[in-house]
C-alpha cells in the first residue's frame, strides 16, 4: 500500500465513522418518533421500517453495474445526497405519506453507500491489509453508532418534536460531511479493473451472469443470508420480544444488553483481529456459527430459569455479548472474502450483490421472528435459530472446500491454478489480479 492510498483509506474510514455517528442519533428512536411523537401509529412505524428495506432491494440490483462502470465516488455522491434529503425529510414530516417517502429516499441512499464504500476500501487496500481495513470500518461504525445513540438519548425529548427534528438535522449534516470528505479522496481504478471495463463484456460475460456462474460466490451469498438472518435480523424483532416476554427483563435492561453487544465489539475487535489474521476464513466463520449456537442456547436457557431473575438476565446479556464476539470475527473475514472472490472489474457488482443478500435477510428475519413471537412459539423460535447457526458452520466448511489457498487464507503462498477445480472465466481473472 502506497502513502497516497493509505491516506485515502484513512479519509474513507473517517467519513464512514462520521456517517455512522450521525446515523446513531436517530436509529434507536425511529419507531418511537413515527408512532408516538408524530402520532402516526405503530402500523405506520412498521411500514417505515419496511420502506427502508424495500427501497434498498429496489436499488441494489443496479448499483454494482454503476460502480464498476462509473466508479464508486459517483454512487457515493448520489447515496449521500439521497440519505441527507431523506433524513431531513424525516425530521420535517408530519403525515404518513411524507414519512414513508422520506424513509424510502433515505433507505435507498444508505443502501447504495454500503457497496460504494466497500469498493473504495478494496481499491485502497491490498490482499494482506484488507482484513484489517474492513475490521477498522466495522469498529468505527459501531463506535460511531454507539456515541451517536448516547448523545441522541441525551438530546431527545418524547414530548418535544423539535428535539427529534434536531437529531435528523444532525444526521443529514453528517451524510453531507461524509460526501465532503470523500470527494477529496483521489484513488484510481486498479489497472486490472480498468482494463476489464475498457475491454467490455467480452467472452467472460459481465455482471450478474458472471456472479451467478461463480459457485463459490453463490454459496457465500447463501451463507451470508443465514448469518444476517440469525443475528441482525433478530435483534429488533424476535430476540427483543423473547427477552421482554419470556426472560421478563425490563426495556431498560434490554438497552443494557444491546450496549453489551456494542461494547464487546468496540473492546474486542482488534484483539480478535490479531487472533484470526492468517487463519482460514472458512474455519473462522464456522467457529462463529458454533459461538452463536451457544448464544441462542443461552437465550433459551434464560427463559427457563424461574425464581432466579439475576441468572436469567445474565444469560440474556451474555447472548448479546456472544453475538458481539462473533461479529468481530466476521468483520475481517466475510467482506474481504467477497472482494477476493470478485474479478477485479466486478468488485462493485459482487459488493452490491452481497449487500442485497444482507437486506433480504434483514427484511425476512424480522418478519419470521415477529410471526413466531406473535404466535408465542418460543421453543420453535429458539430451535430454528440454533439450527440456522449450526447451518452456518456446515455451509462455511463446505465453502472452505471450494476456496483456493489465496482466497481462504490470505497472506499464504499463492497456489497454482490447478490445485482445485477451476472456475474458468472468473478464476483466470482473479489470478491475473493477484499477480
Amino acid at each position: 500500500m502506497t502513502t497516497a492510498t493509505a491516506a485515502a483509506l484513512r479519509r474513507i474510514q473517517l467519513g464512514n465513522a462520521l456517517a455512522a455517528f450521525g446515523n446513531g442519533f436517530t436509529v434507536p428512536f425511529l419507531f418511537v418518533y413515527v408512532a408516538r411523537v408524530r402520532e402516526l401509529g405503530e402500523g405506520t412505524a412498521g411500514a417505515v421500517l419496511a420502506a427502508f428495506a424495500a427501497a434498498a432491494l429496489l436499488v441494489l440490483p443496479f448499483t454494482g453495474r454503476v460502480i464498476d462502470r462509473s466508479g464508486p465516488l459517483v454512487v457515493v455522491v448520489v447515496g449521500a445526497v439521497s440519505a441527507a434529503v431523506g433524513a431531513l425529510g424525516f425530521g420535517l414530516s408530519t403525515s404518513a405519506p411524507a414519512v414513508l417517502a422520506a424513509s424510502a429516499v433515505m433507505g435507498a441512499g444508505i443502501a447504495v453507500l454500503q457497496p460504494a464504500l466497500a469498493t473504495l476500501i478494496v481499491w485502497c487496500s491490498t490482499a494482506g491489509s484488507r482484513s484489517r481495513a474492513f475490521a477498522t470500518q466495522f469498529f468505527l461504525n459501531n463506535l460511531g453508532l454507539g456515541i451517536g445513540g448516547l448523545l441522541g438519548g441525551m438530546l431527545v425529548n418524547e414530548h418535544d418534536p423539535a428535539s427529534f427534528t434536531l437529531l435528523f438535522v444532525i444526521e443529514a449534516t453528517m451524510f453531507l460531511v461524509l460526501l465532503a470528505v470523500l470527494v477529496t479522496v483521489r484513488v484510481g481504478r486498479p489497472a486490472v479493473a480498468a482494463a476489464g471495463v475498457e475491454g467490455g463484456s467480452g467472452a467472460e460475460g459481465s455482471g450478474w451472469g458472471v456472479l451467478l456462474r461463480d459457485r463459490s460466490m453463490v454459496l457465500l451469498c447463501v451463507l451470508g443470508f443465514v448469518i444476517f438472518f440469525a443475528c441482525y435480523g433478530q435483534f429488533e424483532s424476535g430476540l427483543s420480544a423473547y427477552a421482554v416476554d419470556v426472560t421478563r427483563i425490563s426495556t431498560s435492561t434490554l438497552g443494557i444488553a444491546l450496549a453489551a453487544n456494542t461494547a464487546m465489539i468496540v473492546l474486542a475487535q482488534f484483539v480478535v483481529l490479531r487472533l484470526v489474521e492468517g487463519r482460514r476464513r472458512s474455519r473462522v466463520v464456522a467457529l462463529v456459527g458454533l459461538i452463536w449456537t451457544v448464544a441462542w442456547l443461552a437465550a433459551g436457557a434464560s427463559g427457563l430459569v424461574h425464581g432466579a431473575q439475576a441468572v436469567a438476565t445474565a444469560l440474556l446479556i451474555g447472548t448479546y455479548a456472544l453475538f458481539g464476539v462473533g461479529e468481530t470475527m466476521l468483520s475481517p473475514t466475510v467482506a474481504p472474502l467477497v472482494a477476493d472472490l470478485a474479478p477485479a472489474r466486478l468488485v462493485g457488482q459482487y459488493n452490491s450483490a452481497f449487500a442485497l443478500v444482507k437486506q433480504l435477510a434483514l427484511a425476512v428475519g424480522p418478519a419470521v421472528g415477529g410471526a413466531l413471537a406473535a404466535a408465542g412459539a418460543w421453543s420453535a423460535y429458539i430451535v430454528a435459530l440454533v439450527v440456522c447457526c449450526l447451518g452456518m458452520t456446515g455451509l462455511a466448511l463446505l465453502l472452505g472446500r471450494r476456496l483456493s489457498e489465496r482466497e481462504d487464507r490470505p497472506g499464504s503462498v499463492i497456489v497454482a491454478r490447478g490445485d482445485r477445480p477451476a472456475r474458468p472465466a472468473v478464476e483466470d481473472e482473479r489470478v491475473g489480479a493477484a499477480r
Side-chain angles (χ1 to χ4, degrees), residues 82-397:
S82 297
V85 169
L88 189 59
F90 238 119
L92 300 175
S93 296
T94 57
S95 66
V99 80
L100 287 171
S103 67
V105 173
M106 184 176 169
I110 293 174
V112 301
L113 280 173
Q114 296 177 30
L117 289 170
T119 301
L120 282 170
I121 290 174
V122 172
W123 283 13
C124 292
S125 61
T126 64
S129 64
R130 197 159 291 148
S131 292
R132 182 166 291 272
F134 277 103
T136 300
Q137 181 197 35
F138 184 71
F139 166 81
L140 291 174
N141 265 339
N142 281 275
L143 184 62
L145 285 169
I147 295 175
L150 180 63
L151 294 178
M154 294 178 180
L155 294 174
V156 77
N157 181 350
E158 187 176 334
H159 304 291
D160 181 13
S163 67
F164 285 85
T165 300
L166 174 62
L167 298 189
F168 285 108
V169 169
I170 293 173
E171 181 179 30
T173 302
M174 288 299 102
F175 282 121
L176 296 178
V177 171
L178 164 69
L179 178 58
V181 171
L182 292 191
V183 294
T184 67
V185 172
R186 296 291 179 264
V187 54
R189 186 189 299 269
V192 175
V197 171
E198 292 169 3
S201 58
E204 297 90 351
S206 61
W208 286 100
V210 172
L211 190 151
L212 293 174
R213 290 194 298 271
D214 186 345
R215 294 183 180 179
S216 291
M217 183 58 188
V218 171
L219 183 56
L220 178 59
C221 285
V222 174
L223 173 59
F225 181 89
V226 177
I227 288 172
F228 295 118
F229 176 90
C231 180
Y232 303 104
Q234 305 306 320
F235 269 18
E236 296 178 2
S237 59
L239 182 55
S240 296
Y242 183 90
V244 174
D245 294 344
V246 182
T247 308
R248 299 191 181 282
I249 65 172
S250 65
T251 53
S252 60
T253 304
L254 179 59
I256 294 173
L258 288 166
N261 175 262
T262 302
M264 181 62 71
I265 292 169
V266 171
L267 294 174
Q269 179 63 85
F270 292 105
V271 175
V272 171
L273 176 63
R274 286 195 293 270
L275 295 175
V276 303
E277 277 185 317
R279 300 187 182 277
R280 294 190 179 277
R281 289 163 165 168
S282 59
R283 294 179 185 176
V284 172
V285 178
L287 180 57
V288 173
L290 296 179
I291 291 173
W292 285 0
T293 297
V294 174
W296 281 111
L297 290 174
S302 73
L304 299 175
V305 177
H306 301 292
Q309 189 59 40
V311 174
T313 301
L315 285 169
L316 201 285
I317 293 175
T319 296
Y320 280 88
L322 286 172
F323 278 129
V325 172
E327 291 171 74
T328 63
M329 297 169 67
L330 293 175
S331 62
T333 305
V334 177
L337 179 55
V338 173
D340 288 347
L341 285 175
R345 64 191 174 88
L346 294 177
V347 172
Q349 181 71 66
Y350 274 53
N351 280 326
S352 295
F354 200 74
L356 178 62
V357 167
K358 177 180 179 180
Q359 290 299 325
L360 282 169
L362 294 182
V364 175
V368 173
L372 290 174
W378 294 119
S379 296
Y381 178 72
I382 296 296
V383 169
L385 272 301
V386 167
V387 170
C388 283
C389 292
L390 292 175
M392 275 178 57
T393 298
L395 286 169
L397 295 175

